[in-house]
Amino acid sequence: MEVRIEDSWRRELQPEFDKPYFELLTTFVRHAYQTRRCFPPAGLIFNAFDSCPFDRVKVVIIGQDPYHDVGQAHGLCFSVNDGVAIPPSLQNIYKEIHRDLGTPIPASGNLQRWAEQGVLLLNATLTVEAHKPGSHQGKGWEELTDAAIEALNRKREHIVFMLWGSYAQRKGKFIDRGRHLVLQTSHPSPLSVYRGFDGCGHFSAANKYLVKNGIQPIEW
């Protein structure tokens, strides 16, 4: 199946696009977008991949679902469009970056600048119906995003995987800790931020690891 996605990711994921589950997934998503309001906009479903080519990935952050309210989701996990109120989890991420690195807290929740530096902001499920969190789970997206993570794990070296919360940790359990840096803590949501995320130091740790391996650090 021909999929509109960044070329390097097309090469890596083409075997998935040719599998029966992906055809079923495509049929489901096309029908959902035609009959209901879904997010992100159709042209941004693969924004995480389009903004961060396979060979440029330095850091992977794994989310679960796109935001499901109007105007929020644009294909990057934890990120919202400019002008949209910053969600609580991202507020906590910004607070930890400020505590960890001393950088000012941004006024915008748009993380496109991270993606363009090599941060793959990957939701496990890439689409959702408006106001119905989890509505597109179990349809095949998880299999595709597992394949993307596995390709990075197997073919690349010295990537930082940030696994926040039990869902992300389960999804990244197969990552080779000898080839990559895996940083784990609680989810940054208000319900769990105090279980480890607050004070985790992941952003400075990531940059130290990248520099140690001759890789340009991220301007968080």
Side-chain angles (χ1 to χ4, degrees), residues 17 20 22 24-25 85 87 103 117 129 155 158 167 174 219:
F17 299 152
F22 192 78
L24 292 173
L25 171 63
T103 53
Q117 293 180 74
E129 185 177 342
K155 296 186 177 182
H158 308 313
Y167 183 90
F174 59 79
E219 292 183 13

Side-chain angles (χ1 to χ4, degrees), residues 127-138:
T127 58
V128 70
E129 185 177 342
H131 315 304
K132 292 186 177 181
S135 51
H136 289 188
Q137 291 178 6

Side-chain angles (χ1 to χ4, degrees), residues 39-211:
F39 303 122
L44 294 175
I45 290 173
F46 293 114
N47 190 26
F49 298 111
D50 293 339
S51 300
C52 191
F54 183 82
D55 292 329
R56 291 185 54 211
V57 175
K58 303 175 184 179
V59 177
V60 178
I61 298 177
I62 298 174
Q64 190 165 352
D65 249 11
Y67 293 118
H68 55 85
D69 284 336
V70 176
Q72 291 183 306
H74 63 125
L76 307 176
C77 72
F78 293 105
S79 180
V80 292
N81 283 302
D82 291 320
V84 175
I86 299 174
S89 291
L90 183 53
Q91 290 181 28
N92 288 331
I93 292 170
Y94 279 170
K95 288 176 185 176
E96 175 56 22
I97 293 171
H98 175 69
R99 187 209 64 79
D100 191 16
L101 299 173
T103 53
I105 294 176
S108 171
N110 191 330
L111 303 181
Q112 189 72 37
R113 62 188 179 86
W114 290 6
E116 292 170 359
Q117 293 180 74
V119 182
L120 182 67
L121 294 160
L122 185 63
N123 276 315
T125 302
L126 299 187
T127 58
V128 70
E129 185 177 342
H131 315 304
K132 292 186 177 181
S135 51
H136 289 188
Q137 291 178 6
K139 304 297 184 181
W141 281 130
E142 295 91 341
E143 191 167 346
L144 179 70
T145 52
D146 278 350
I149 296 166
E150 172 55 28
L152 290 168
N153 174 61
R154 184 165 34 89
K155 296 186 177 182
R156 296 283 315 282
E157 291 185 339
H158 308 313
I159 291 174
V160 180
F161 290 86
M162 294 184 175
L163 307 180
W164 300 334
S166 58
Y167 183 90
Q169 289 161 21
R170 288 194 301 271
K171 195 167 180 69
K173 64 185 177 183
F174 59 79
I175 295 166
D176 184 347
R177 270 70 170 170
R179 293 169 63 91
H180 307 286
L181 176 64
V182 177
L183 300 173
Q184 296 189 173
T185 190
S186 66
H187 195 276
S189 75
L191 294 175
S192 57
V193 66
Y194 298 109
R195 297 176 187 166
F197 186 88
D198 187 12
C200 67
H202 280 187
F203 304 94
S204 60
N207 278 353
K208 287 176 184 175
Y209 178 82
L210 294 173
V211 170

